[in-house]
Amino acid sequence: VFIQCDIAGTITYVNEKGLQILQEHSMGNVLGANVFSLIAPEDRSLAEHNFRLMQDKQIGNVEYKLNLGTNYDVFCEVNGDVLRDSSNIPYGLIFIIRDITQRKNYEKKLLASEEKYRSLVETSPNMTWEIRPDGSIMYVSPQSYNILGLTPKEMCEKLIYDIIEPKEIERTVKKLFDSITNHDGVIGFEVEARHALTGKTILLDIYTNLFYDEKGVILGLRGIARDITIRKLSEIEAKKSRDYLSLVLK
């Protein structure tokens, strides 16, 4: 949409496409109306401020919510310039207006999705993590403190190999390297790690897969880890009991 107005903000020209779009929103002929009448009340002060600012310098693209009488929000991106006469005196302004409602709605849904995902990750009893191909930790959820005795900040200062038992490093490196090399799907394995506060060995159940950038380049591995130490100890004790019972019955 192209709109031209005089120095007071009165609309003097709207291109044909612009008139068509405005009529679709029941705005009718806006010629002679004030340009600020198209802006939603909550953005009007900003628009008026930028209108004055534009007369001294260019301000680039600005986003506004429009007031088009619809029962849904309409957002636009506006870029404008000052019209000057031969004496360099401003006599009007021209605006290029682009509808960005679809993009804003997508961003809103994406933000809601990200917040939902973040909430699920941060409240899950499992530890969620991301590592680079070199083993450095990019992200870890707050459960790292409960499981390993390390805060997310402390974890991100380490390599994944710093938190597992030395005897497990070679096997873990091979698992992760094979996953990256072969572009495997989700892989699962168990690995022993050391709790930073208690010094005790714990057993982690790991599930991981690759993640990529928009060009398909591998960024690293993403996965979850859960502490299965108590479960494993219970299984061992249960096996001992079964073996003992079997021995007694014989």
Side-chain angles (χ1 to χ4, degrees), residues 137-205:
I137 299 171
M138 302 168 62
Y139 166 80
V140 66
S141 64
Q143 284 299 333
S144 63
Y145 188 78
N146 294 332
I147 293 176
L148 291 166
L150 293 165
T151 65
K153 183 177 183 298
E154 292 170 328
M155 288 280 289
C156 289
E157 294 170 352
K158 297 179 178 293
L159 296 174
I160 192 69
Y161 316 116
D162 295 331
I163 63 174
I164 62 177
E165 291 286 13
K167 65 179 183 179
E168 296 277 53
I169 291 177
E170 184 177 348
R171 183 174 67 88
T172 304
V173 168
K174 186 177 186 310
K175 278 278 187 184
L176 299 180
F177 180 78
D178 287 348
S179 177
I180 292 173
T181 304
N182 302 327
H183 291 254
D184 292 333
V186 177
I187 62 168
F189 61 98
E190 296 175 1
V191 64
E192 291 183 356
R194 186 170 295 275
H195 195 282
L197 299 180
T198 65
K200 292 181 178 179
T201 298
I202 60 174
L203 186 63
L204 299 178
D205 192 19

Side-chain angles (χ1 to χ4, degrees), residues 1 3 21-22 25 35 38-40 43 46-47 60-68 73-79 95-105 107:
V1 178
I3 291 181
I21 291 172
L22 292 172
H25 290 292
V35 70
L38 302 178
I39 307 295
D43 282 352
L46 174 63
N61 294 330
V62 183
E63 295 180 5
Y64 300 108
K65 181 179 174 182
L66 298 184
N67 177 35
L68 300 182
D73 294 337
V74 177
F75 296 92
C76 69
E77 184 178 77
V78 178
N79 197 351
F95 299 97
I96 301 172
I97 303 173
R98 186 165 65 93
D99 187 347
I100 59 169
T101 305
Q102 188 174 5
R103 190 192 83 192
K104 296 292 284 187
N105 289 338
E107 290 173 352

